[in-house]
Amino acid sequence: MPYEMLSNPEAFKREMEKRAIALTQRIDKAQPEPQAKMILRRHFKKGKTALILPNGNNFGDQLLLEEYWVCKIEEIKMRKEEVVFAKVNWFWNPKDVVLRKDAVLRKTNLGKRERLTSNTFDYVHSSRFYDMYTVQPYEENDVYEAAIDEDELYSRYDYNPKTKVASTPATFCFCKGFYNPDRDVMRVCLPCAEYIHIDCLRKGGSPQTNLQKPLYLQFERTLFNGLGYDGYMDMPTEKAHYEGVPQNIIDLARSPIVRGKHFGIVGNGNPVMRARDYLAAKIMKGTPIPNDWMKPCYVTEETVSSFILDLAEKFHCPKCLGPV
Ligand SMILES: [Zn+2]
Ligand SMILES: [Zn+2]
């Protein structure tokens, strides 16, 4: 474990200062490897996050991203214009987290690539810095959240190893359960503002909707505060409204919203909602689709199709009976 957590904050500070002095005294002997030196000189900045080589590993070792230790740089100590060490604030790997029995968050709700912010600090020598790295903050309640790639680390919760308590996770679905992106696939009911586990939808044998409109239109025209409107918006259906609209926008707008497992940590909420907003603005106000429409959707020509979900598996919200 790289972290020291003493019960007395003053004692902790003194211990850290002592280590810092000891490190400075040893620096003439220490020979940071060239790669580490280069990384630090170029990118080392307060407030940035970085990957640290775990104890027992060296540069050149083939490590997976999730094997590195992750920290935020709090303070940089220099000597003769060389970065010597840094005070760091650790992100915790779920496998090292110990939670009280009565803590709301359970380890089984944490994803493999998840890291927890903490109140634990340490001093790390410059030779242990592998690379700068951004841990993506993830607001799990926000349907408009920017996509997080499968190969990125992300953070939702804060952890205090002293009290063994973490921040309380959001609950979702009619089962009042949690969201583990590695385990759960969830659909969204926008009128109910609710993420629903696909397993709960399957279990519930959700009833069929009796809405008159075809399913694709129900998806396309269900907005979330789009044009100030929440829920299904009854708009005119004329061919001319779709003229000049890229097929990808139409396909996105007609897609259910999904997240989790192979659909990605964040899923397709942002591109689907923005596509629906573009279409609604075009139909209701005649607003043309901007050329750079993909940018706010966080999609590209290469990735857009991966956010489009077909309607092979149809579900309906158990509460409002709307399609999800
Ligand atoms: Zn559920
Ligand atoms: Zn609903």
Side-chain angles (χ1 to χ4, degrees):
M1 299 282 265
Y3 359 74
E4 262 322 296
M5 194 59 212
L6 305 179
S7 52
N8 178 342
E10 277 307 310
F12 175 68
K13 205 176 150 204
R14 277 201 301 277
E15 172 64 22
M16 288 293 112
E17 292 294 331
K18 220 165 73 192
R19 285 192 196 189
I21 292 163
L23 262 172
T24 314
Q25 286 166 347
R26 286 209 313 268
I27 194 59
D28 289 338
K29 277 184 268 172
Q31 291 294 320
E33 293 180 50
Q35 192 181 344
K37 270 186 165 177
M38 193 184 74
I39 288 162
L40 295 181
R41 235 183 269 133
R42 261 199 217 151
H43 308 291
F44 216 58
K45 280 203 185 98
K46 198 177 150 180
K48 284 207 169 187
T49 45
L51 299 177
I52 305 290
L53 283 165
N55 284 348
N57 287 102
N58 294 303
F59 272 90
D61 288 354
Q62 295 287 317
L63 293 178
L64 298 170
L65 174 65
E66 55 257 39
E67 291 177 295
Y68 289 98
W69 292 344
V70 187
C71 68
K72 184 172 148 215
I73 299 163
E74 290 285 316
E75 211 180 316
I76 302 161
K77 298 282 181 188
M78 313 274 287
R79 190 164 179 263
K80 291 179 192 159
E81 293 180 17
E82 284 283 328
V83 173
V84 177
F85 57 87
K87 183 185 177 189
V88 301
N89 178 204
W90 292 112
F91 281 85
W92 282 63
N93 186 320
K95 73 178 170 58
D96 297 323
V97 164
V98 179
L99 291 160
R100 266 166 56 154
K101 276 206 177 77
D102 60 350
V104 182
L105 180 70
R106 304 315 313 159
K107 277 181 79 160
T108 49
N109 294 318
L110 297 169
K112 201 174 71 177
R113 291 186 175 265
E114 180 149 19
R115 294 294 177 270
L116 292 87
T117 54
S118 78
N119 57 353
T120 47
F121 297 87
D122 218 336
Y123 279 93
V124 174
H125 190 262
S126 59
S127 61
R128 306 307 299 166
F129 277 77
Y130 178 72
D131 209 347
M132 305 316 285
Y133 185 82
T134 304
V135 178
Q136 301 294 339
Y138 178 34
E139 174 45 70
E140 59 185 339
N141 270 314
D142 185 0
V143 78
Y144 279 99
E145 192 76 331
I148 296 170
D149 288 342
E150 263 171 71
D151 57 359
E152 285 184 300
L153 299 177
Y154 62 96
S155 183
R156 293 182 285 182
Y157 310 125
D158 192 59
Y159 171 60
N160 183 340
K162 201 171 125 194
T163 58
K164 297 189 172 65
V165 170
S167 42
T168 305
T171 54
F172 302 99
C173 189
F174 303 103
C175 72
K176 297 274 171 266
F178 303 108
Y179 172 47
N180 176 344
D182 297 349
R183 178 194 63 199
D184 303 319
V185 173
M186 303 187 98
R187 293 272 183 105
V188 169
C189 179
L190 290 172
C192 295
E194 191 66 84
Y195 278 97
I196 309 169
H197 299 108
I198 210 125
D199 287 344
C200 293
L201 286 169
R202 284 188 184 126
K203 255 185 257 159
S206 54
Q208 290 298 304
T209 176
N210 53 10
L211 279 177
Q212 300 300 308
K213 302 283 178 190
L215 196 58
Y216 70 88
L217 272 190
Q218 291 180 49
F219 279 114
E220 182 192 296
R221 290 155 184 227
T222 298
L223 307 180
F224 190 61
N225 209 20
L227 301 181
Y229 195 87
D230 266 337
Y232 181 77
M233 190 183 189
D234 208 8
M235 291 179 264
T237 316
E238 282 167 39
K239 244 192 177 153
H241 288 140
Y242 296 95
E243 269 166 22
V245 179
Q247 189 60 39
N248 280 329
I249 290 190
I250 299 170
D251 293 342
L252 275 172
R254 293 176 178 180
S255 176
I257 297 172
V258 68
R259 72 174 179 187
K261 285 171 92 171
H262 53 284
F263 297 108
I265 297 150
V266 176
N268 64 357
N270 187 304
V272 168
M273 292 314 306
R274 291 196 190 279
R276 291 181 192 176
D277 290 347
Y278 281 133
L279 264 181
K282 171 126 189 352
I283 295 168
M284 301 306 286
K285 294 174 162 182
T287 312
I289 309 286
N291 288 332
D292 64 345
W293 70 269
M294 287 190 176
K295 217 173 160 192
C297 298
Y298 304 108
V299 299
T300 62
E301 289 288 354
E302 290 74 40
T303 63
V304 63
S305 64
S306 67
F307 292 95
I308 296 166
L309 189 70
D310 65 31
L311 293 172
E313 218 178 355
K314 298 180 184 69
F315 297 108
H316 293 86
C317 170
K319 194 175 163 195
C320 71
L321 308 189
V324 291

